[in-house]
């Protein structure tokens, strides 16, 4: 049976906890207001925040570059091979090239553990990944006229691997530079630009 307590020490502690929760409530409310911005959807508010904050804007633009290789491998490459009359079963096997995005957690600890001797741990890995992505995409373009399955498959896996590695570095960089209250606010803009980049890369490559 429940009985109201009459212990003065316990009552004082409960009153103190109540005061602390009342003080914390405005901070929580202000964070929710920042996300919704007078009823505006969270993604729109996140994009607005990206325009106002250099930190949120930086990681948002990085998410755009992160989505470009996915559109190339996921959308453009199967369409291109089908257009070049490659066997449909072979084209289906190219979906395995997306495996690095699924298994990137395997080498993510290594990228976090080891650093390159320039620009810090995360930014140096981003630059290295982008160099290899540029090289892989340029080599893939050489196969445009007469694609051979083996080189295209190898280059697709190479691009996917370095793209997944770039995702690791960008996500880690976002966690490092964003304030705790900014991380949730940045999610909408980052996802929106990531998906836009995926669609743009696929559409532009096909056309």
């Amino acid at each position: 049976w429940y009985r109201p307590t009459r212990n003065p020490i316990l009552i004082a502690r409960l009153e103190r906890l109540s005061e602390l929760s009342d003080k914390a409530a405005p901070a929580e409310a202000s964070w929710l207001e920042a996300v919704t911005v007078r009823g505006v959807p969270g993604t729109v508010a996140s994009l607005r925040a990206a325009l106002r904050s250099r930190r949120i804007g930086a990681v948002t633009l990085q998410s755009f570059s992160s989505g470009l290789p996915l559109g190339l491998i996921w959308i453009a490459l199967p369409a291109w091979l089908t257009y070049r009359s490659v066997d449909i079963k072979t084209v289906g096997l190219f979906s395995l090239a997306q495996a690095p995005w699924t298994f990137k957690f395997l080498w993510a600890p290594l990228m976090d553990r080891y650093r390159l001797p320039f620009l810090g741990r995360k930014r140096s890995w981003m630059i290295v990944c982008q160099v290899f992505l540029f090289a892989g995409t340029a080599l893939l373009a050489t196969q445009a006229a007469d694609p051979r399955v083996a080189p295209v498959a190898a280059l697709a896996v190479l691009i996917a691997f370095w793209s997944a590695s770039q995702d690791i570095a960008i996500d880690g960089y976002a966690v490092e530079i964003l304030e705790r209250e900014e991380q949730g606010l940045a999610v909408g803009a980052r996802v929106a630009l990531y998906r836009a980049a995926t669609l743009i890369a696929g559409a532009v490559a096909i056309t």
Side-chain angles (χ1 to χ4, degrees):
W1 295 94
Y2 170 75
R3 293 182 181 179
T5 181
R6 294 183 180 179
N7 188 326
I9 298 177
L10 182 57
I11 291 174
R13 290 180 178 177
L14 291 173
E15 290 176 350
R16 178 59 177 166
L17 288 173
S18 178
E19 292 175 0
L20 292 175
S21 63
D22 291 339
K23 291 179 180 179
E28 182 179 359
S30 64
W31 184 85
L32 291 174
E33 288 176 2
V35 175
T36 57
V37 186
R38 297 180 181 178
V40 177
T43 300
V44 176
S46 183
L47 290 171
R48 288 180 177 177
L51 296 175
R52 297 191 187 104
S53 170
R54 291 180 60 186
R55 289 191 297 268
I56 297 178
V59 297
T60 299
L61 291 176
Q62 290 168 355
S63 296
F64 183 84
S65 67
S66 184
L68 293 173
L70 178 61
L72 180 65
I73 302 301
W74 184 33
I75 299 174
L77 188 60
W80 169 50
L81 293 174
T82 302
Y83 177 75
R84 289 296 177 180
S85 302
V86 177
D87 181 59
I88 189 65
K89 294 181 180 179
T90 305
V91 174
L93 289 175
F94 271 84
S95 62
L96 296 176
Q98 303 173 25
W101 282 292
T102 302
F103 297 103
K104 61 184 178 182
F105 66 90
L106 295 175
W107 65 91
L110 297 176
M111 294 182 65
D112 191 60
R113 170 65 177 83
Y114 298 102
R115 60 180 299 169
L116 301 176
F118 58 93
L119 292 180
R121 181 179 286 109
K122 300 300 186 298
R123 286 184 295 177
S124 60
W125 277 118
M126 279 190 274
I127 291 175
V128 170
C129 292
Q130 288 173 0
V131 168
F132 278 100
L133 283 171
F134 177 81
T137 305
L139 290 173
L140 187 62
T142 62
Q143 297 289 319
D146 185 21
R148 291 174 294 170
V149 173
V152 171
L155 290 170
V157 173
L158 175 69
I159 292 172
F161 173 80
W162 288 109
S163 176
S165 301
Q166 180 182 238
D167 291 349
I168 295 169
I170 289 176
D171 290 341
Y173 183 72
V175 172
E176 284 186 356
I177 70 165
L178 292 179
E179 300 292 340
R180 188 170 183 178
E181 61 273 9
E182 292 176 329
Q183 292 179 7
L185 189 57
V187 168
R190 294 186 65 198
V191 172
L193 264 70
Y194 186 91
R195 292 181 177 177
T198 300
L199 296 176
I200 290 172
V204 170
I206 290 173
T207 54

